[in-house]
Amino acid sequence: MQTTTSLKGKRVLVVDDSRSQMTGVIALYKELGCEVVGQAENGIEALKKIKELHPEIVSLDIIMPDMDGIECYQNISKNYPEIKVIFLSCLVKNLEVREVLTKKIDPAILLPKPCEKEVLLKALTNLWIN
């Protein structure tokens, strides 16, 4: 298994509209050695925080009020191509929904929530390799 050395100190913005889910996601990134520099509850807030905080990774939920994760991702990809994006969503567990989502989102960055540490580590490591 890869070590977390390559992720140590990586700046992460966690975006999720559920406080309880956000707490778990933040803990997961911290376990991997990342620095969680901020939190947002929707895509609009996330885009504002990106300008302020300059994260290296944005962790997005999909279903959120005001601006969902997919719209936020499209904005990040267009305006901040250097930022790595990971989706953590409960929707991924439904195979039919996952199939639809993979038409808009690379399946390599579409992870189930809750997510196992090793699964997130592998996805993040692959983002820096590719």
Side-chain angles (χ1 to χ4, degrees), residues 21 24 51 61 65-66 74 80 105 109 111:
Q21 293 285 342
K51 288 180 185 175
D61 189 14
D66 302 321
Q74 290 167 338
Y80 306 96
I105 302 168
I109 63 168
L111 306 179

Side-chain angles (χ1 to χ4, degrees), residues 6 11-12 16 37 44-45 47 51 56 63 69 85 87 93 96 98 100 112 115 120 122 129-130:
S6 61
R11 299 169 51 80
V12 180
D16 199 313
V37 295
I44 293 171
E45 189 180 339
L47 294 173
K51 288 180 185 175
E56 296 167 271
I63 306 276
V85 176
F87 282 93
K93 293 177 183 175
E96 291 163 358
R98 182 178 176 79
V100 170
C115 187
L120 181 58
K122 182 178 179 186
I129 293 170
N130 296 327

Side-chain angles (χ1 to χ4, degrees), residues 13 46-55 80 83:
L13 172 64
L47 294 173
K48 290 177 185 172
K49 297 241 177 165
I50 286 170
K51 288 180 185 175
E52 292 172 30
L53 303 171
H54 309 288
Y80 306 96
I83 294 177

Side-chain angles (χ1 to χ4, degrees), residues 45-129:
E45 189 180 339
L47 294 173
K48 290 177 185 172
K49 297 241 177 165
I50 286 170
K51 288 180 185 175
E52 292 172 30
L53 303 171
H54 309 288
E56 296 167 271
I57 301 165
V58 175
S59 180
L60 289 172
D61 189 14
I62 294 175
I63 306 276
M64 297 181 290
D66 302 321
M67 179 189 285
D68 66 30
I70 293 172
E71 189 177 348
C72 185
Y73 170 64
Q74 290 167 338
N75 190 300
I76 293 168
S77 296
K78 179 181 174 188
N79 297 306
Y80 306 96
E82 71 283 3
I83 294 177
K84 309 297 185 190
V85 176
I86 289 282
F87 282 93
L88 291 173
S89 176
C90 299
L91 294 176
V92 175
K93 293 177 183 175
N94 181 312
L95 294 178
E96 291 163 358
V97 172
R98 182 178 176 79
E99 187 176 322
V100 170
L101 289 172
T102 58
K103 292 178 181 170
K104 294 186 178 208
I105 302 168
D106 179 351
I109 63 168
L110 191 57
L111 306 179
K113 186 172 59 174
C115 187
E116 293 181 20
K117 179 179 167 181
E118 292 77 22
V119 172
L120 181 58
L121 174 61
K122 182 178 179 186
L124 288 169
T125 302
N126 286 339
L127 280 176
W128 264 277
I129 293 170

